[in-house]
């Protein structure tokens, strides 16, 4: 029996555990929290993420929970266009938005009987070696397997043990997200609720509709970012600050913030890994260890590619190990995963950091240059990033 231990039951871990189980692996899924739960926010799935999910679970019903997302363009805080909406080029799936509760429900439903979920497990030790199967421990129980998958996020205990050079650092931003449920969405013209992006001096606001049935209640999803460190105040105080910072911005920004309640707010420090790990696959014993998702390549969310790359990781790993037997064959697959994923993720991270520079522009001269160039700059940056997303295909 081929065995795998997946550390972390977030989106990446759930997707990986389910995919391995469907290929006949016996999987132990370890979660630090007391339960597997989604954040009450949403996620943009770019074409690469949608293809990866389809490859991981063709019967997952992804199209039923994802709402197509048109280009909403980019505005200045006063409402003037910096980059008008554009038609999505080419054929194939476009970006879509999905409520995380719906996504988690689908991923959990796809786990099957071969996945043993253990919650309340915090990893304190990692063991690898050529002569022994990789394992992790919480100080009480040792979990050993042929394949160890680190999907435990930016603060991954497994990555710290195997690639300590990759350090989680702040990106210079704080972020806030919220979903306003459908019954509280402001009564505004349809064009104002259609979604879009607004860039100010170190501030950014993005909104998008979720449709009528997302998480059973519909609504509108928004993200705000501001340069600086995360705020220490209560959610109510932070929401009051957001309303003040964005008070003069064009509709519907103020109305959406006014409809948001403190319990809707999800504050987040925007962090990234610098440098990226030297490797994403480490051969050990009868197989090895792989880093996946934010444990491997956490990055700012400005291009919305973090989760999509995690699903790519999972789809690539599934393809490489599907028919492997423990031993030399599985070890070679672990090394092949590293070769496949590192160049790919490094390219997306570079594009994300370029977009960060656009969002970070502050000061009169920097803003004037940014705004003047954005009409041509944004299509180049996003065009290349979307090309990376659109061109990726799941491995056979």
């Amino acid at each position: 029996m081929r065995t795998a231990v997946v550390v972390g039951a977030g989106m990446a871990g759930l997707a990986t555990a389910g995919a391995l189980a469907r290929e006949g692996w016996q999987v132990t899924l370890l979660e630090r929290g007391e339960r597997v739960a989604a954040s009450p926010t949403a996620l943009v799935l770019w074409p690469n993420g949608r293809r990866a999910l389809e490859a991981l679970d063709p019967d997952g019903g992804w199209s039923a929970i994802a709402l197509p997302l048109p280009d909403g363009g980019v505005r200045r805080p006063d409402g003037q266009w910096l980059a008008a909406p554009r038609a999505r080029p080419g054929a194939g799936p476009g970006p879509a938005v999905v409520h995380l509760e719906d996504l988690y429900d689908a991923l959990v439903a796809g786990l099957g009987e071969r996945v043993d979920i253990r919650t309340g497990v915090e990893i304190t030790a990692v063991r690898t070696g050529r002569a022994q199967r990789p394992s992790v421990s919480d100080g009480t129980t040792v979990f050993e397997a042929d394949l160890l998958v680190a999907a435990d996020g930016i603060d991954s205990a497994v990555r710290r043990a195997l690639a300590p050079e990759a350090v989680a650092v702040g990106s210079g931003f704080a972020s806030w997200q919220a979903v306003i449920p459908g019954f509280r969405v402001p009564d505004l013209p349809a064009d104002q609720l259609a979604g879009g992006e607004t860039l100010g001096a170190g501030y950014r606001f993005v909104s998008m509709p979720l449709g009528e049935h997302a998480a059973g209640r519909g609504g509108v999803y928004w993200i705000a970012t501001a340069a600086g460190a995360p705020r220490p105040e209560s959610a109510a105080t932070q929401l009051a600050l957001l309303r003040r910072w964005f008070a003069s911005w064009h509709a519907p920004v103020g109305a959406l913030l006014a409809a948001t309640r403190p319990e809707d707010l999800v504050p987040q420090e925007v962090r990234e890994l610098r440098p990226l790990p030297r490797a994403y696959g480490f051969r050990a014993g009868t197989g090895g260890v792989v880093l996946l998702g934010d444990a491997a390549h956490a990055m700012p969310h400005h291009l919305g590619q973090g989760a999509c790359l995690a699903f790519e990781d999972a789809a690539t790993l599934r393809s490489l190990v599907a028919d492997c037997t423990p031993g030399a064959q599985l070890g070679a697959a672990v090394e092949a995963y590293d070769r496949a994923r590192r160049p790919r993720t490094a390219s997306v991270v570079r594009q994300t950091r370029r977009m960060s520079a656009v969002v970070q522009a502050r000061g009169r001269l920097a803003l004037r240059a940014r705004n003047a160039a954005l009409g041509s700059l944004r299509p180049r940056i996003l065009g290349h990033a979307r090309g990376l997303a659109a061109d990726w295909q799941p491995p056979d």
Side-chain angles (χ1 to χ4, degrees):
M1 173 67 70
R2 300 176 299 172
T3 59
V5 168
V6 177
V7 183
M11 290 179 288
L14 289 169
T16 304
L20 291 175
R22 284 186 289 276
E23 297 295 342
W25 289 71
Q26 187 65 42
V27 182
T28 301
L29 177 60
L30 307 179
E31 167 56 31
R32 180 175 59 182
E34 294 302 324
R35 62 191 183 96
V36 176
S39 171
T41 59
L43 171 72
V44 174
L45 287 172
W46 292 89
N48 54 324
R50 297 181 67 176
R51 291 192 184 103
L53 284 172
E54 289 286 353
L56 289 164
D57 186 3
D59 299 321
W62 309 111
S63 61
I65 63 174
L67 181 74
L69 188 65
D71 186 348
V74 184
R75 295 178 186 266
R76 297 190 333 187
D78 63 5
Q80 292 189 25
W81 289 109
L82 292 171
R86 297 168 179 258
R88 302 290 186 190
V97 61
V98 58
H99 197 291
L100 287 188
E101 291 179 11
D102 293 333
L103 180 61
Y104 269 63
D105 286 347
L107 291 171
V108 171
L111 291 178
E113 297 180 354
R114 290 181 177 269
V115 179
D116 177 21
I117 304 176
R118 308 282 187 92
T119 58
V121 178
E122 183 164 2
I123 300 306
T124 58
V126 181
R127 186 189 70 185
T128 61
R130 287 285 181 176
Q132 57 190 6
R133 295 204 304 171
S135 68
V136 293
S137 171
D138 63 354
T140 301
T141 305
V142 175
F143 302 92
E144 183 182 88
D146 301 307
L147 178 65
L148 175 61
V149 179
D152 47 344
I154 190 171
D155 295 312
S156 169
V158 180
R159 187 197 65 246
R160 286 199 302 268
L162 298 179
E165 71 281 357
V167 178
V169 299
S171 298
F173 284 90
S175 169
W176 297 263
Q177 302 179 55
V179 169
I180 305 169
F183 65 88
R184 262 198 279 124
V185 171
D187 185 13
L188 296 170
D191 62 324
Q192 292 187 15
L193 295 176
E197 176 180 355
T198 305
L199 289 177
Y203 294 87
R204 184 190 194 198
F205 193 93
V206 182
S207 67
M208 58 199 78
L210 293 175
E212 297 179 1
H213 305 295
R217 54 187 178 273
V220 171
Y221 171 51
W222 63 257
I223 313 163
T225 57
R231 306 291 304 195
E233 297 92 347
S234 68
T237 301
Q238 292 187 52
L239 182 56
L241 286 171
L242 289 170
R243 290 169 176 166
R244 188 177 74 195
W245 292 340
F246 292 95
S248 63
W249 287 37
H250 67 84
V253 176
L256 293 178
L257 289 171
T260 304
R261 295 178 179 172
E263 60 267 26
D264 301 328
L265 200 64
V266 181
Q268 181 184 23
E269 181 183 10
V270 182
R271 296 188 293 159
E272 59 188 293
L273 291 181
R274 283 184 181 261
L276 294 175
R278 69 183 188 280
Y280 290 164
F282 304 84
R283 200 163 182 164
T286 53
V289 184
V290 298
L291 306 181
L292 189 147
D294 280 353
H297 44 67
M299 68 190 79
H301 59 255
H302 303 309
L303 290 180
Q305 277 294 316
C308 294
L309 283 183
F311 295 140
E312 282 188 27
D313 294 341
T316 302
L317 181 65
R318 179 208 63 81
S319 176
L320 290 170
V321 306
D323 299 320
C324 284
T325 55
Q329 190 179 34
L330 181 55
V334 168
E335 293 176 341
Y337 171 84
D338 175 56
R339 292 192 298 271
R341 296 309 297 161
R342 270 195 300 135
R344 165 71 175 167
T345 57
S347 180
V348 176
V349 168
R350 283 196 298 271
Q351 292 304 313
T352 297
R353 289 174 180 167
R354 289 183 65 195
M355 190 63 185
S356 292
V358 173
V359 176
Q360 280 180 319
R362 302 178 74 182
R364 183 176 300 177
L365 293 178
L367 284 173
R368 186 178 298 169
R370 192 270 310 274
N371 292 348
L374 195 62
S376 59
L377 183 64
R378 180 175 181 265
R380 288 204 302 273
I381 294 177
L382 292 187
H384 188 56
R386 287 171 180 161
L388 290 171
D391 293 343
W392 184 86
Q393 297 289 339
D396 296 330

